[in-house]
Amino acid sequence: MCGVFLFRNNKNSNFSTSIFLDNLYHRGPDANKSININDVTIGHTLLTIRDQTENSIQPITCSNDRYVISFNGQIYNTDALKKKYSIDKSVILDTKVILEICNKVGIDFISEINGMFAIVIYDKLDNKIIAIRDNSGQKPLYFYNKDKSLVICSEIYPILKAINNTELNINKFNAVRFVSNVEKETIYKDIFKLLPGQKLEVDLRNESFKINFFQQNLDLNSEKSNEELISNTIHQHLQTNEKILINLSGGIDSNIILYEAIKNKNIDAVSTYFDTENKNYNLDFSIAKKVSRKYKINLLENVITKDDYIDNFIKCFETLEEINGNFNNPTYFLNYKFIKQNQYRSVLNGDGGDEIFIGYDWYFLNNTSNFKFYKLFKTIPKLKNMIFDKSVLLKTIFYFKIMERYNSVKNLGYLFNKNYKFSQLNYLLRRAYEYRNFKKNFFNNISERFEYSNLLHTQLFWLSEEVFNRNDKLSMHHSIESRSPFSDYNLRYNIISKLKKNYFYSNENKLVVRDIYKSKLDREIFQFKRGWTTPRDWILDNKFRNMIMDILPKKDIFDIKWRVIREKIYSDETFIMNRSLYPLISLAILINRSNL
């Protein structure tokens, strides 16, 4: 994992390379480099993973001297690419594989690669700038484009420092989750981001600027069984020249990864123990410890205390750069810090498994609490086919309807001065348009049935902007690379295309992997567990409450009634537990960081 950046100076700007190198150091402490061509500067900070540092320094120029590339991520289908394009098998670094293909097919190489990546490219021949974000959205990519000044970067804060502006632009947001991350805009004025699978292209000859979803050209249809697909994908995600471990819980997904990984590689595990008297919060840790003993692997025990959590809360949410309402984020932050202290560079996690194996309750249409029209559709099944299967907009509306438990505007509407109903409709129309194009480019052969749409909506609108933004920012703050095998595009495409209709109407989740691994993994793994979550008594602690009160604005700004929030937290000790409050707390932290 690394940091990438590109900027274009003109008479109205004077961006400094040092700003980016200094502020992306945590993403790449091993080496850095920048290349200036005309008024374009392209740069990179390196975290060595797959090859020696001296072989991995970027940016790199293709041998045809046309393309200069700065690459952040991992490409997992390098073996297939080397075979297809007759590339020497001794080439280890995925960046060099990309260069070889780019020499032969140009920018179209993007259609051939499978992995997690954010790439910036300067085409010297056509005088073009290209930026690309992978279609799983595992690696973020932000940009600023104003008055012929252009900046592209892995993170937001270096751009803010370069343009010397931290002005927030909250009021323009069309909120569903309030200041939702699922939007090309960020909360910072004039700073935008690419959505998963998008390609930005700037032609400097005529100053044209366009963003589209790129085309994927992988041979995806596989005759392999689901077990073979899962095993092969996990094996591909073990490519590294450094030590690697797995973030092990008591859940199905991380235990499948461990089971398959130890077939091919010596691997260690890490699990978190919460320092609390309530044993329910450490059920996952107990299972992880039991499994580690069974496989005779080294388990790193990360003990997190209440003070650890509270003392790192603000720093964690500052690091995220964007609004995020997950109050478990500090435990992730501390976990990555612990991993770095133990001198690892890469960690595997089970993120993405729920979204292909049908893990969440609201994926099941027989759950009437999630889907009030189910009984009607059960009586008249053609009604669902006629209405929801045919309408992208209705599928998108339904998806955001079931995500309303995260909707701050709906659940805490009395805290806002503005009625967002009309803007929410506009928001949903735009999301439906983006979903249609996303599916057309990457999952066109997947059924249009209503059952499947929630899985794909989640990938585009939840995994990328909530889970993966957290994974990338919190891990890279500590110079740790986070890998998510179950978010692999090839695996996701094949698993979803093979899902059976009855999987969506079951009383058990993750049937697709239960059938494969139930006899192979510890039976406790398949029982209901509380999950990896912060002890509630920590959040109810007065020290935590006082810290939150200190960072909340003392006057009403951005159409939010901050004074009411303060009064509510002061008078109702349970209000601090309301999950819809945390996007607002996250925003307050970013407001403080911007000195507003």
Side-chain angles (χ1 to χ4, degrees):
M1 286 307 101
C2 308
V4 300
F5 67 91
L6 179 149
F7 61 83
R8 178 197 185 196
N9 271 319
N10 62 26
K11 62 181 180 180
N12 298 317
S13 62
N14 186 26
F15 302 133
S16 167
T17 302
S18 62
I19 288 178
F20 295 93
L21 295 180
D22 291 346
N23 287 281
L24 292 174
Y25 175 82
H26 54 277
R27 299 187 72 94
D30 296 329
N32 64 70
K33 179 183 174 183
S34 64
I35 296 175
N36 180 266
I37 307 165
N38 300 322
D39 61 349
V40 175
T41 298
I42 182 170
H44 187 270
T45 60
L46 173 67
L47 177 67
T48 305
I49 299 291
R50 286 171 73 157
D51 203 347
Q52 300 301 314
T53 296
E54 58 270 22
N55 297 328
S56 306
I57 295 174
Q58 300 182 50
I60 304 180
T61 304
C62 290
S63 59
N64 61 15
D65 200 37
R66 176 173 179 176
Y67 300 104
V68 184
I69 297 178
S70 185
F71 169 82
N72 168 35
Q74 294 288 342
I75 305 303
Y76 297 118
N77 64 332
T78 50
D79 287 344
L81 291 171
K82 285 188 279 189
K83 182 177 180 180
K84 179 176 180 178
Y85 288 99
S86 302
I87 299 171
D88 195 312
K89 292 182 180 180
S90 64
V91 176
I92 298 174
L93 192 63
D94 45 5
T95 309
K96 292 186 177 179
V97 173
I98 289 174
L99 284 173
E100 293 278 358
I101 304 173
C102 192
N103 274 324
K104 298 178 180 182
V105 301
I107 299 301
D108 288 341
F109 80 85
I110 190 61
S111 300
E112 305 278 352
I113 61 178
N114 181 42
M116 57 175 180
F117 50 83
I119 308 173
V120 291
I121 303 168
Y122 178 57
D123 180 345
K124 293 194 285 185
L125 179 63
D126 287 345
N127 201 19
K128 287 184 178 180
I129 292 168
I130 302 102
I132 310 155
R133 185 183 183 192
D134 74 85
N135 61 22
S136 68
Q138 293 183 64
K139 295 289 108 182
L141 204 53
Y142 301 93
F143 65 92
Y144 166 90
N145 181 47
K146 187 176 181 181
D147 299 328
K148 296 184 181 180
S149 293
L150 175 68
V151 183
I152 304 170
C153 190
S154 295
E155 295 184 1
I156 295 174
Y157 292 151
I159 302 178
L160 295 176
K161 289 183 178 295
I163 65 177
N164 194 27
N165 184 15
T166 57
E167 183 179 354
L168 299 184
N169 204 10
I170 306 299
N171 292 331
K172 72 175 292 183
F173 270 79
N174 299 313
V176 168
R177 187 191 168 176
F178 177 63
V179 201
S180 173
N181 290 342
V182 187
E183 180 72 89
K184 67 179 181 180
E185 289 93 352
T186 69
I187 64 170
Y188 297 96
K189 186 177 180 180
D190 298 321
I191 296 181
F192 304 85
K193 63 185 171 187
L194 293 181
L195 297 179
Q198 285 190 332
K199 178 177 73 171
L200 176 157
E201 186 172 311
V202 182
D203 190 330
L204 300 180
R205 296 169 299 184
N206 56 22
E207 300 298 335
S208 67
F209 182 96
K210 61 182 179 180
I211 297 177
N212 296 300
F213 287 100
F214 66 79
Q215 294 287 327
Q216 196 79 59
N217 190 33
L218 293 172
D219 183 14
L220 292 170
N221 296 310
S222 175
E223 299 300 321
K224 294 178 180 177
S225 68
N226 285 337
E227 184 174 5
E228 289 177 304
L229 286 166
I230 291 169
S231 181
N232 289 347
T233 300
I234 294 169
H235 175 70
Q236 289 176 339
H237 280 66
L238 298 174
Q239 299 177 70
T240 177
N241 192 41
E242 302 289 337
K243 293 196 299 181
I244 191 169
L245 79 166
I246 180 170
N247 199 6
L248 186 63
S249 71
I252 295 173
D253 298 330
S254 65
N255 277 276
I256 290 174
I257 294 172
L258 177 63
Y259 175 85
E260 295 293 348
I262 59 178
K263 292 178 181 178
N264 303 289
K265 193 178 185 71
N266 292 327
I267 187 170
D268 297 336
V270 60
S271 191
T272 294
Y273 178 87
F274 294 105
D275 185 17
T276 176
E277 293 181 0
N278 190 334
K279 295 181 180 179
N280 288 329
Y281 289 105
N282 288 311
L283 293 177
D284 275 62
F285 174 80
S286 298
I287 295 174
K289 195 168 184 177
K290 177 182 177 182
V291 169
S292 298
R293 285 198 299 263
K294 174 183 175 181
Y295 293 134
K296 298 180 180 179
I297 65 171
N298 179 37
L299 177 68
L300 283 71
E301 301 179 8
N302 179 23
V303 179
I304 296 179
T305 68
K306 178 176 65 177
D307 285 342
D308 291 333
Y309 175 84
I310 296 174
D311 292 344
N312 286 274
F313 187 90
I314 292 176
K315 178 61 178 178
C316 163
F317 278 89
E318 286 180 341
T319 302
L320 289 168
E321 299 186 310
E322 297 190 71
I323 302 299
N324 192 298
N326 189 344
F327 55 61
N328 293 313
N329 285 327
T331 57
Y332 290 100
F333 183 83
L334 289 163
N335 195 48
Y336 291 123
K337 180 179 180 181
F338 178 76
I339 290 170
K340 180 179 181 179
Q341 289 170 344
N342 283 272
Q343 300 182 335
Y344 291 85
R345 291 200 165 200
S346 297
V347 59
L348 299 168
N349 65 73
D351 289 329
D354 287 300
E355 291 77 13
I356 57 173
F357 303 141
I358 317 178
Y360 293 126
D361 289 345
W362 47 266
Y363 286 143
F364 297 93
L365 301 187
N366 54 329
N367 187 333
T368 54
S369 65
N370 292 330
F371 188 39
K372 63 184 179 181
F373 300 116
Y374 171 73
K375 290 182 179 179
L376 180 62
F377 284 0
K378 187 175 182 180
T379 305
I380 314 174
K382 288 186 179 179
L383 187 63
K384 179 183 73 68
N385 299 338
M386 291 170 57
I387 298 177
F388 276 85
D389 288 356
K390 305 294 184 184
S391 172
V392 172
L393 177 59
L394 288 179
K395 292 173 188 173
T396 300
I397 290 174
F398 176 81
Y399 169 76
F400 282 98
K401 180 72 175 176
I402 60 178
M403 299 298 279
E404 279 186 348
R405 62 189 182 279
Y406 299 110
N407 188 330
S408 299
V409 173
K410 179 177 177 59
N411 300 329
L412 298 174
Y414 64 92
L415 298 178
F416 296 84
N417 290 315
K418 184 177 179 181
N419 189 325
Y420 283 90
K421 288 185 178 180
F422 180 72
S423 61
Q424 285 191 30
L425 177 59
N426 289 334
Y427 179 95
L428 292 170
L429 286 169
R430 293 199 302 276
R431 301 294 79 78
Y433 175 78
E434 290 161 355
Y435 171 77
R436 183 186 66 183
N437 289 333
F438 176 78
K439 185 179 184 302
K440 178 181 178 181
N441 281 275
F442 304 116
F443 296 95
N444 194 42
N445 293 328
I446 299 295
S447 171
E448 295 291 343
R449 292 183 66 92
F450 178 51
E451 291 87 348
Y452 296 88
S453 72
N454 285 327
L455 300 176
L456 299 181
H457 272 89
T458 306
Q459 177 176 329
L460 178 59
F461 296 133
W462 177 261
L463 270 177
S464 61
E465 305 311 319
E466 293 287 335
V467 177
F468 291 145
N469 186 58
R470 176 200 74 205
N471 283 358
D472 178 84
K473 301 288 179 55
L474 300 188
S475 65
M476 292 308 299
H477 178 81
H478 298 291
S479 305
I480 299 294
E481 174 202 57
S482 179
R483 300 184 182 185
S484 305
F486 292 146
S487 293
D488 178 84
Y489 173 56
N490 181 69
L491 177 69
R492 183 172 296 277
Y493 180 95
N494 279 284
I495 292 290
I496 293 177
S497 66
K498 295 178 181 181
L499 289 175
K500 301 174 183 178
K501 181 181 176 181
N502 67 294
Y503 288 169
F504 295 92
Y505 298 88
S506 170
N507 292 321
E508 281 191 308
N509 70 349
K510 301 188 179 181
L511 281 180
V512 65
V513 286
R514 282 178 182 268
D515 293 344
I516 299 170
Y517 291 99
K518 200 162 188 176
S519 63
K520 300 175 181 179
L521 303 181
D522 190 289
R523 61 189 179 90
E524 281 191 76
I525 292 166
F526 294 92
Q527 298 172 359
F528 174 80
K529 283 173 288 300
R530 186 186 188 96
W532 198 59
T533 187
T534 302
R536 297 303 188 262
D537 59 300
W538 294 3
I539 296 170
L540 292 170
D541 189 87
N542 283 333
K543 180 180 176 181
F544 181 76
R545 185 196 312 271
N546 292 335
M547 177 187 69
I548 297 302
M549 292 289 284
D550 285 342
I551 59 99
L552 292 177
K554 293 180 174 58
K555 62 180 180 179
D556 293 352
I557 55 174
F558 302 125
D559 287 324
I560 301 168
K561 301 176 183 177
W562 295 104
R563 287 176 293 184
V564 175
I565 296 175
R566 295 175 63 86
E567 291 169 3
K568 186 75 172 174
I569 291 175
Y570 180 78
S571 63
D572 180 359
E573 65 177 17
T574 63
F575 184 59
I576 198 75
M577 293 297 301
N578 191 317
R579 71 170 69 193
S580 296
L581 176 64
Y582 280 82
L584 298 173
I585 291 175
S586 176
L587 173 62
I589 290 171
L590 296 179
I591 290 173
N592 276 351
R593 191 185 188 281
S594 300
N595 295 318
L596 298 179

